[in-house]
Amino acid sequence: MAPAPTAPPPPANLKRIVAASLIGTTIEWYDFFLYGSAAALVFNKLFFPDSDPLVGTLLSFLTYAVGFAARPIGALVFGHYGDRLGRKKLLVLSLLLMGGATFAIGLLPTHATIGSAAPVLLTVLRLVQGFALGGEWGGAVLLVSEHGDARRRGFWASWPQTGAPAGQLLATGVLSLLTAVLSESAFGSWGWRIPFLLSGVLVIVGLWIRLSVDESPVFKQALAQAEARKSTRAADAGAEKLPLVSVMRHHWRDVLVAMGARMAENISYYVITAFILVYATTSAGVSKQTALNAVLIASAVHFAVIPGWGALSDRIGRRPVYLLGAAGVGLWMFPFFSLIDTGGFGNLLLAVTVGLVLHGAMYAPQAAFFSEMFATRMRYSGASIGAQFASVAAGAPAPLIATALLDAYGSSTPIALYVISAAILTLIAVGVAKETRHRDLADVERMAGAEPTAARAADAHTV
């Protein structure tokens, strides 16, 4: 007999869980974005000094993209064990891996000290960062999604999403402060190491908070049901060992939808926050400090609007909010670059802020949207695979492609068209998806175990 459904936790407990996911996610994104900002500002000189400035930036962004290549591997490994062992254990491991790699980058010798070994070591540590982040996102959003109920899931699940702008805000803020108080030579010599070394302190705080929360009650219930099935139906035992197989069998369409949904969201974000540090300083004549300040302020606004977009998705649905964001980002790209080209700080700030607000309309409902697509015992794998495999084609090469297009054409027009193409792809993917707002996560669990016809009938009933 299946256990009775677990009641949602009291608000105080839910808030603690949200805080644990948010703080841990903020630290992980701080580590990841710090690398991206450093790649745009100093890594081209410190690790690729034999190249001309733009080629050095391209090589620096190439090591940046390597981190994305490791994210699908992290999604597979963390998703598999997260669906078998639980969300909490894997989130602790991801935080340790990310923080350790980031701290090590702060101690890394440069090309001037150890030659070509420096960029090799940098690339290895970036791979570890990507592997950890590939497992972090799915576990963090699921821990919150599975603790709450359907009525406000979009709002609560959007809080771990604010970890991205919070991490960006923290990373950019630290870099902006250092570039303001240090000379360019001091920052390039030793100042750039400080933000990476700070990660060690942040990880200790994050671990203390994450270790204090409970495992997802939905996962505990699903695990108990799986154990009960093993004792009565031996054939199920093998299936339980391979969540990836179950995802590909029951949810392959949802994986494709998630990948398509990520294209505009991922590409636009890295163009707006990472590539802008190159474009604004090289093409618009804006100083590094000015560009960093614009991203810093816009990231604060981004952080503030994400819960609002999440709450709106609880009222009108995940799809309408997501579609609004994708269409808005596509339409904003030409005004975005036109405003930056003026060279004024006000116009630069407006361009980045509006871009990130529109991005938030995609990013905020994404956590609940993806969580609601998959059954509990394959949810970590499904959500992580859909999100992280898309990042290889989307966020990973975005700054690299944008920099190459700028080098080849000397114009922002091809870059704008690149983002618009991604927006069209996302509009198609989300447009053909089913609305998930009213789904109970236990209903999704039952759908996954049903025959295809029954699954469609259940889905039609819950949407």
Side-chain angles (χ1 to χ4, degrees):
M1 182 176 178
T6 306
N13 189 33
L14 180 58
K15 290 177 182 178
R16 187 172 71 249
I17 292 160
V18 170
S21 293
L22 170 58
I23 291 174
T25 305
T26 298
I27 295 169
E28 297 247 10
W29 281 114
Y30 165 80
D31 292 346
F32 203 75
F33 287 142
L34 180 61
Y35 188 104
S37 297
L41 296 174
V42 294
F43 280 179
N44 56 333
K45 300 174 183 176
L46 295 174
F47 293 94
F48 307 98
D50 296 332
S51 306
D52 66 65
L54 196 54
V55 173
T57 301
L58 282 168
L59 292 173
S60 185
F61 275 142
L62 185 59
T63 63
Y64 173 74
V66 163
F68 288 82
R71 282 165 68 171
I73 302 173
L76 290 171
V77 174
F78 279 80
H80 176 79
Y81 288 103
D83 282 330
R84 294 183 63 193
L85 305 177
R87 294 31 171 145
K88 177 180 172 179
K89 295 181 180 69
L90 275 297
L91 285 174
V92 169
L93 178 60
S94 71
L95 190 59
L96 285 171
L97 286 174
M98 175 67 85
T102 305
F103 187 82
I105 290 174
L107 300 175
L108 195 64
T110 63
H111 188 279
T113 304
I114 60 173
S116 59
V120 172
L121 291 173
L122 181 68
T123 302
V124 171
L125 292 172
R126 182 59 174 175
L127 284 168
V128 176
Q129 281 190 324
F131 179 78
L133 192 62
E136 161 69 22
W137 180 84
V141 300
L142 294 188
L143 196 63
V144 176
S145 295
E146 293 177 346
H147 270 90
D149 60 2
R151 188 173 62 87
R152 301 192 69 194
R153 184 178 298 127
F155 171 73
W156 289 116
S158 70
W159 279 100
Q161 299 291 77
T162 64
Q168 178 76 65
L169 186 66
L170 188 58
T172 306
V174 171
L175 285 172
S176 181
L177 176 63
L178 289 172
T179 56
V181 300
L182 296 177
S183 65
E184 188 170 350
S185 61
F187 181 77
S189 175
W190 56 267
W192 66 273
R193 298 181 183 275
I194 295 175
F196 290 91
L197 297 176
L198 283 175
S199 179
V201 178
L202 296 175
V203 166
I204 293 173
V205 175
L207 284 174
W208 175 70
I209 295 173
R210 279 200 167 169
L211 288 170
S212 68
V213 301
D214 296 326
E215 181 56 81
S216 155
V218 173
F219 174 79
K220 290 180 180 178
Q221 180 181 336
L223 184 61
Q225 291 171 341
E227 292 297 329
R229 287 196 298 266
K230 285 181 182 180
S231 64
T232 57
R233 286 163 31 196
D236 281 349
E240 290 293 334
K241 295 179 181 178
L242 294 172
L244 175 60
V245 174
S246 298
V247 169
M248 293 298 104
R249 178 182 177 188
H250 297 291
H251 290 293
W252 63 269
R253 291 182 182 85
D254 296 316
V255 170
L256 292 178
V257 167
M259 291 177 67
R262 283 275 283 173
M263 297 305 289
E265 177 268 306
N266 222 216
I267 289 173
S268 65
Y269 188 79
Y270 290 105
V271 168
I272 293 170
T273 61
F275 173 71
I276 188 179
L277 298 178
V278 175
Y279 184 82
T281 56
T282 60
S283 296
V286 175
S287 69
K288 291 179 182 178
Q289 186 65 48
T290 299
L292 283 169
N293 288 342
V295 174
L296 182 68
I297 297 171
S299 293
V301 176
H302 193 209
F303 177 92
V305 301
I306 284 177
W309 286 123
L312 183 62
S313 78
D314 285 327
R315 296 180 62 87
I316 68 174
R318 318 300 183 210
R319 290 174 68 251
V321 177
Y322 213 115
L323 291 169
L324 173 64
V329 162
L331 293 172
W332 184 243
M333 275 302 102
F334 281 112
F336 172 80
F337 284 108
S338 296
L339 287 168
I340 295 173
D341 287 338
T342 65
F345 176 74
N347 287 339
L348 174 63
L349 179 61
L350 177 64
V352 181
T353 301
V354 173
L356 287 182
V357 168
L358 293 169
H359 171 271
M362 293 182 283
Y363 199 56
Q366 188 179 99
F369 189 30
F370 289 9
S371 298
E372 291 158 349
M373 290 180 182
F374 301 96
T376 303
R377 288 285 282 162
M378 57 191 84
R379 186 170 294 133
Y380 203 144
S381 295
S384 297
I385 291 168
Q388 304 306 334
F389 272 69
S391 69
V392 177
L400 188 64
I401 290 173
T403 304
L405 288 172
L406 179 63
D407 185 36
Y409 296 96
S411 168
S412 63
T413 298
I415 306 167
L417 293 174
Y418 167 53
V419 178
I420 290 169
S421 299
I424 292 172
L425 182 57
T426 292
L427 287 170
I428 294 171
V430 178
V432 302
K434 294 181 175 68
E435 180 56 62
T436 63
R437 175 169 59 111
H438 294 300
R439 289 182 182 172
D440 185 277
L441 296 184
D443 289 337
V444 181
E445 177 74 11
R446 288 193 289 271
M447 284 167 52
E451 293 300 320
T453 302
R456 287 192 292 270
D459 189 61
H461 175 72
T462 57
V463 174

